[in-house]
């Protein structure tokens, strides 16, 4: 027991001040810092971000913090899974160098009044429209965490594509030296995008949830075989609308980099994005349909 307690010392930090001291020592030894912010209930998707950061040579800090300010549904917040002991085991295996597990007070210092941010297309529509204030909360927490960790690079999942676009803008405005690295969606063997919320799907809903990626993949295949993205979208909407147990919030096309509305003349990567509720759980997913013009590939995830 004592050994285990000793072992966690210097590895898990609850206080920003202690983490800052540890970070200063790492930097003094020449290390660069990679950062992976999470809300815990970790899975292989999170693991891929940690592995990517470690693989890039960064000493990697992972935060586990269920951020109250980004929830727009109290029941979702209260029911958010917490699996800290399991998370720590995973983080050791993936090679994290430190874990930051702060309290709400440690992050916000009693000041949770949100600044309202609207810095471009990623801040309106889709998740921003369906969950008003959600990205204000995301920006609030990441702004604070980035100030504590002051990372060289932050690793975030393309699973939350709109959030990734929001963070790119936040970084460009407030953390100019920070590299934002988007990492591909990690999926269950049947294609469902991994998510902490998948744990809340009952057996029937879990089965029904497969429809999201099935439809996205189909759209990808159609575009690869020469169909216009808009035609694939129409078919996708019909198919998803008919999928049992799936309540669709949106299925649409966007330009991935900045989340601007899609147009045939768009030069950025085209993504199909989807949000739907299955078995009372809000699920998000997306697929790359066409790479930036002049780029290689497109519908890059179709073969996975
Ligand atoms: P969360 O704990 O849900 O806030 O997610 C923390 C980070 O992990 C975010 O950058 C997510 O986009 C990323 N992430 C979550 N699920 C996946 C997944 N299936 N594949 C890749 N990254 C993911």
């Amino acid at each position: 027991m004592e050994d285990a307690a000793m072992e966690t010392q210097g590895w898990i930090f609850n206080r920003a001040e202690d983490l800052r001291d540890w970070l200063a020592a790492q930097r003094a030894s020449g290390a660069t810092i990679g950062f992976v912010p999470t809300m815990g209930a970790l899975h292989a998707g999170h693991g891929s971000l940690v592995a990517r950061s470690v693989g890039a040579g960064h000493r990697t800090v992972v935060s586990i913090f269920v951020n109250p300010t980004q929830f727009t549904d109290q029941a979702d917040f209260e029911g958010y899974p917490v699996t800290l002991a399991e998370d720590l085991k995973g983080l050791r295996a993936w090679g994290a160098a430190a874990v930051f597990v702060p309290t709400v007070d440690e992050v916000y210092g009693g000041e949770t009044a949100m600044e309202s941010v609207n810095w471009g297309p990623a801040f309106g529509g889709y998740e921003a429209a369906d969950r008003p204030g959600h990205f204000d909360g995301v920006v609030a927490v990441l702004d604070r965490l980035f100030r504590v960790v002051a990372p060289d690079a932050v690793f975030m999942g393309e699973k939350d594509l709109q959030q990734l676009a929001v963070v790119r803008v936040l970084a460009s405005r407030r953390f100019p030296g920070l590299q934002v690295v988007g990492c591909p969606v990690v999926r269950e063997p049947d294609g469902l995008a991994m998510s902490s919320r998948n744990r809340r799907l009952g057996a029937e809903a879990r089965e029904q949830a497969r429809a999201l990626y099935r439809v996205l993949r189909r759209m990808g295949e159609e575009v690869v075989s020469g169909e216009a993205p808009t035609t694939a979208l129409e078919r996708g909407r019909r198919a998803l609308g008919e999928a049992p147990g799936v309540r669709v919030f949106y299925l649409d096309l966007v330009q991935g980099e900045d989340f601007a509305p899609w147009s045939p003349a768009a030069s950025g990567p085209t993504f199909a994005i989807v949000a739907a509720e299955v078995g009372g759980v809000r699920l998000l997913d997306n697929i790359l349909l066409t790479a930036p013009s002049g780029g290689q590939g497109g519908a890059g995830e179709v073969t996975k």
Side-chain angles (χ1 to χ4, degrees):
M1 254 348 258
E2 214 171 275
D3 281 354
M6 290 291 285
E7 214 191 330
T8 59
Q9 270 185 13
W11 194 61
I12 303 176
F13 298 92
N14 302 117
R15 287 162 22 117
E17 196 185 320
D18 298 335
L19 178 62
R20 277 200 183 98
D21 289 347
W22 180 87
L23 285 162
Q26 307 309 305
R27 288 202 187 86
S29 73
T32 55
I33 304 299
F35 181 41
V36 179
T38 81
M39 297 204 299
L42 303 183
H43 50 67
H46 299 107
S48 74
L49 308 182
V50 178
R52 180 85 177 263
S53 172
V54 171
H58 299 300
R59 210 146 292 174
T60 300
V61 178
V62 178
S63 61
I64 297 180
F65 179 62
V66 184
N67 174 36
T69 65
Q70 73 186 67
F71 283 82
T72 51
D73 174 351
Q74 189 63 17
D76 186 27
F77 175 57
E78 283 166 9
Y80 202 84
V82 176
T83 60
L84 187 59
E86 281 300 303
D87 292 353
L88 296 176
K89 272 191 221 156
L91 289 173
R92 274 216 187 278
W94 295 323
V99 189
F100 185 40
V101 191
T103 60
V104 173
D105 264 359
E106 188 66 21
V107 173
Y108 287 103
E111 177 56 68
T112 49
M114 287 304 94
E115 140 188 53
S116 177
V117 280
N118 186 357
W119 295 327
F123 295 79
Y126 309 114
E127 291 308 290
D130 287 1
R131 307 170 70 191
H134 170 64
F135 288 124
D136 294 344
V138 168
V139 165
V141 74
L142 290 179
D143 191 69
R144 286 159 173 81
L145 291 174
F146 289 169
R147 279 175 212 286
V148 172
V149 180
D152 296 278
V154 61
F155 294 80
M156 311 216 45
E158 286 176 358
K159 150 92 170 26
D160 301 285
L161 195 67
Q162 190 170 3
Q163 171 174 271
L164 178 60
V166 160
V167 174
R168 287 192 198 286
V169 179
L170 170 65
S172 71
R173 288 186 167 237
R174 295 201 177 153
F175 303 91
L178 175 60
Q179 184 193 6
V180 179
V181 183
C183 304
V185 184
V186 176
R187 302 181 177 284
E188 300 289 353
D190 67 0
L192 179 67
M194 287 190 180
S195 164
S196 306
R197 289 186 175 87
N198 290 354
R199 294 165 199 257
R200 302 204 327 233
L201 293 169
E204 190 186 10
R206 173 65 185 78
E207 190 60 29
Q208 292 169 332
R210 298 174 71 171
L212 271 68
Y213 187 57
R214 200 170 53 230
V215 166
L216 290 178
R217 216 170 92 125
R218 188 71 209 272
M219 290 174 67
E221 285 163 358
E222 289 180 4
V223 170
V224 162
S225 60
E227 207 69 271
T230 42
T231 311
L233 176 65
E234 267 169 46
R235 286 211 193 102
R237 281 182 174 159
R238 260 199 311 277
L240 202 59
E242 288 165 7
V246 178
R247 184 175 155 227
V248 184
F249 296 117
Y250 56 78
L251 172 61
D252 212 349
L253 305 175
V254 293
Q255 294 190 66
E257 284 295 327
D258 56 1
F259 233 74
W262 185 82
S263 84
S267 58
T270 304
F271 283 83
I273 56 167
V274 65
E277 189 182 280
V278 183
V281 180
R282 187 183 178 95
L283 300 175
L284 295 186
D285 203 349
N286 66 79
I287 193 169
L288 176 68
L289 292 181
T290 61
S293 47
Q296 295 275 305
E301 290 180 290
V302 173
T303 53
K304 279 193 187 163

